[in-house]
Amino acid sequence: MDTARAVACLLVAVICLSCAAAASSRSPTVRMHRHLKRLNKPAVKSIESPDGDIIDCVHISRQPAFDHPFLKNHTIQMRPNYHPEGLYDESKSNVVSTSDAEKPMVQLWHQGGRCPKDTVPIRRTKKDDLLRASSMRRYGRKRHTTANPMSVSPTMLNEGGHQHAIAYVQGDKYYGAKATINVWAPKIEQPNEFSLSQLWILGGSFGEDLNSIEAGWQVSPDLYGDNSTRLFTYWTSDAYQATGCYNILCSGFVQINSEIAMGASIFPTSSYSGSQYDISILIWKDPKEGNWWMQFGKDYVLGYWPSFLFSYLADSASMIEWGGEVVNSQPDGVHTSTQMGSGHFPEEGFSKSSYFKNIQVVDSTNNLKAPKGVGTFTEQSNCYDVQNGNNAEWGTYFYYGGPGRSSSCP
């Protein structure tokens, strides 16, 4: 009897320990630690940025992309097979200044050092980053659909709290796009709002099957914990539902460049009636491998999105958009004062309003060409507006943006 009682007590103890271990593994603290471990790969070297970021130099073969089951045995494509031929001289690189002396565009973390060869720079995710997210599962993901210029019904205004001022083309097959984007540091009213300027490569409908590749600059206190202007990318193959993420916060984008970090601060930014700073972004589809490549400036080929990530974009894009987007959470029932672009309307012009210039598309022959039939779209032009034009120096361009809440945008 004593032996049986001892065995029973032992079984109960083992069960209790198992239950405690299971409960512990489900605790928020343990789950957060595991998620951070998945996101932050072992670093060869770490660099502290003046803005408080930590940039980890991770061996190229250990980056987050290779968590994807289809990439486990993937051979990294270290360079594109083809590069589009362009229309415009990029001798000025990433910067246009109102002074004669060219000022170099850098990422702020470069002040602390550079990553060695065969590594990629990855902005370290911190505990506070996860705590700001609505959930760990949703961290690094958008919650909205892309601007649909075909939907201008008043009932669609401010759908999901997102507003846009964009230029776009559609009606053909597109194999990439390019733009030079004026860089600013717009003011954000609420921590859960953002302001961005980007290009979209789109395929499919605006329903649940939308494919999108996006890149540009953004200010997002919720995602990054500050108001710095940062380089970013995004991708989705199902209209932002279950696939894709910002930067490299999930498996997907394969980075090959050791100089530029996704999600890191861009420095410096433009000032009103002062020096103007631009970045150049090119995204194109490699005709041989089918992967979608990204280039930053004239020197930095950053990496690629493998074609198998997408359905419609596995072939080509059906629409290209360029422009600005903000979140309007309507604090206290009124329009947000979160700025788009410079925070000033297009009619103010150069050095006051933000712009995209030399916008181009990649055609089926892998050549960059001026877009035809450019349209513009904004949900509420009294809050954020867009005006396009064309000249010899800037090619196809547009000014865009606005202050949000004002006397004309209550």
Side-chain angles (χ1 to χ4, degrees):
M1 180 66 75
D2 290 342
T3 302
R5 186 179 293 114
V7 170
C9 290
L10 182 60
L11 285 172
V12 169
V14 169
I15 291 170
C16 289
L17 286 171
S18 299
C19 291
S24 175
S25 68
R26 292 193 298 268
S27 74
T29 302
V30 172
R31 287 173 54 241
M32 182 173 293
H33 176 74
R34 286 177 177 170
H35 200 62
L36 287 171
K37 192 173 181 180
R38 281 196 296 269
L39 291 171
N40 298 322
K41 304 301 182 183
V44 173
K45 174 183 177 181
S46 295
I47 299 167
E48 186 169 356
S49 174
D51 61 2
D53 280 354
I54 303 296
I55 303 298
D56 289 326
C57 305
V58 175
H59 192 273
I60 192 170
S61 64
R62 303 197 69 176
Q63 61 183 293
F66 297 103
D67 291 340
H68 197 291
F70 288 180
L71 287 172
K72 291 293 185 184
N73 300 311
H74 179 74
T75 300
I76 301 173
Q77 191 180 347
M78 292 305 296
R79 61 180 60 84
N81 291 291
Y82 299 94
H83 194 282
E85 297 299 322
L87 292 173
Y88 299 99
D89 179 22
E90 285 194 330
S91 60
K92 292 186 179 181
S93 185
N94 299 328
V95 184
V96 173
S97 172
T98 53
S99 68
D100 293 329
E102 184 177 308
K103 300 181 179 71
M105 172 67 75
V106 297
Q107 288 193 302
L108 200 56
W109 67 274
H110 291 162
Q111 295 182 17
R114 301 290 177 121
C115 283
K117 186 181 177 183
D118 296 327
T119 67
V120 295
I122 299 177
R123 178 183 180 271
R124 185 184 300 177
T125 300
K126 300 176 183 177
K127 179 181 176 181
D128 286 346
D129 295 329
L130 296 183
L131 290 173
R132 285 190 306 273
S134 59
S135 71
M136 278 187 280
R137 188 180 66 85
R138 294 299 307 172
Y139 172 65
R141 292 183 174 177
K142 289 187 179 183
R143 306 177 206 146
H144 75 291
T145 55
T146 304
N148 183 357
M150 302 303 103
S151 295
V152 291
S153 165
T155 59
M156 298 294 286
L157 287 179
N158 200 38
E159 181 190 10
H162 291 250
Q163 292 189 294
H164 309 79
I166 63 166
Y168 67 94
V169 290
Q170 61 177 351
D172 201 351
K173 286 189 172 185
Y174 306 101
Y175 297 85
K178 186 177 183 180
T180 298
I181 311 172
N182 197 202
V183 181
W184 291 81
K187 292 181 173 63
I188 312 298
E189 180 176 348
Q190 300 291 326
N192 64 333
E193 298 178 337
F194 65 63
S195 181
L196 59 77
S197 297
Q198 66 170 64
L199 56 85
W200 289 260
I201 311 287
L202 301 169
S205 70
F206 284 88
E208 295 184 352
D209 62 353
L210 182 72
N211 289 197
S212 182
I213 294 173
E214 307 165 24
W217 61 259
Q218 70 178 162
V219 178
S220 178
D222 193 45
L223 183 60
Y224 302 106
D226 60 22
N227 291 295
S228 297
T229 301
R230 295 170 179 273
L231 175 70
F232 84 97
T233 62
Y234 200 92
W235 72 273
T236 180
S237 61
D238 62 357
Y240 310 96
Q241 295 178 93
T243 63
C245 60
Y246 279 111
N247 307 324
I248 45 180
L249 293 175
C250 66
S251 57
F253 185 79
V254 180
Q255 185 156 343
I256 63 168
N257 185 278
S258 64
E259 296 285 334
I260 302 298
M262 302 294 194
S265 298
I266 298 173
F267 177 81
T269 58
S270 303
S271 59
Y272 190 79
S273 294
S275 295
Q276 300 301 295
Y277 295 91
D278 304 338
I279 60 173
S280 165
I281 289 178
L282 166 64
I283 296 174
W284 80 100
K285 188 176 178 62
D286 186 326
K288 183 177 180 181
E289 300 289 341
N291 301 323
W292 287 90
W293 284 83
M294 176 178 172
Q295 180 171 310
F296 177 74
K298 67 172 184 176
D299 297 320
Y300 303 113
V301 175
L302 300 190
Y304 57 93
W305 292 270
S307 61
F308 70 76
L309 295 173
F310 307 101
S311 51
Y312 294 98
L313 290 180
D315 175 42
S316 61
S318 56
M319 177 180 279
I320 306 293
E321 296 178 355
W322 303 263
E325 177 184 353
V326 300
V327 171
N328 172 25
S329 62
Q330 294 184 305
D332 301 319
V334 297
H335 198 286
T336 182
S337 62
T338 286
Q339 300 174 333
M340 181 189 291
S342 69
H344 293 262
F345 285 114
E347 54 264 30
E348 293 196 43
F350 183 77
S351 85
K352 297 178 176 65
S353 179
S354 188
Y355 56 81
F356 279 61
K357 67 177 185 177
N358 295 336
I359 65 172
Q360 300 169 77
V361 295
V362 181
D363 68 9
S364 59
T365 64
N366 203 40
N367 286 307
L368 280 158
K369 293 188 175 180
K372 295 180 179 179
V374 176
T376 59
F377 171 79
T378 181
E379 290 93 346
Q380 289 179 278
S381 59
N382 56 322
C383 303
Y384 311 106
D385 204 3
V386 55
Q387 294 178 3
N388 62 334
N390 190 281
N391 63 35
E393 184 181 357
W394 281 21
T396 304
Y397 69 89
F398 61 91
Y399 286 96
Y400 70 102
R405 185 173 68 248
S406 66
S407 58
S408 63
C409 175

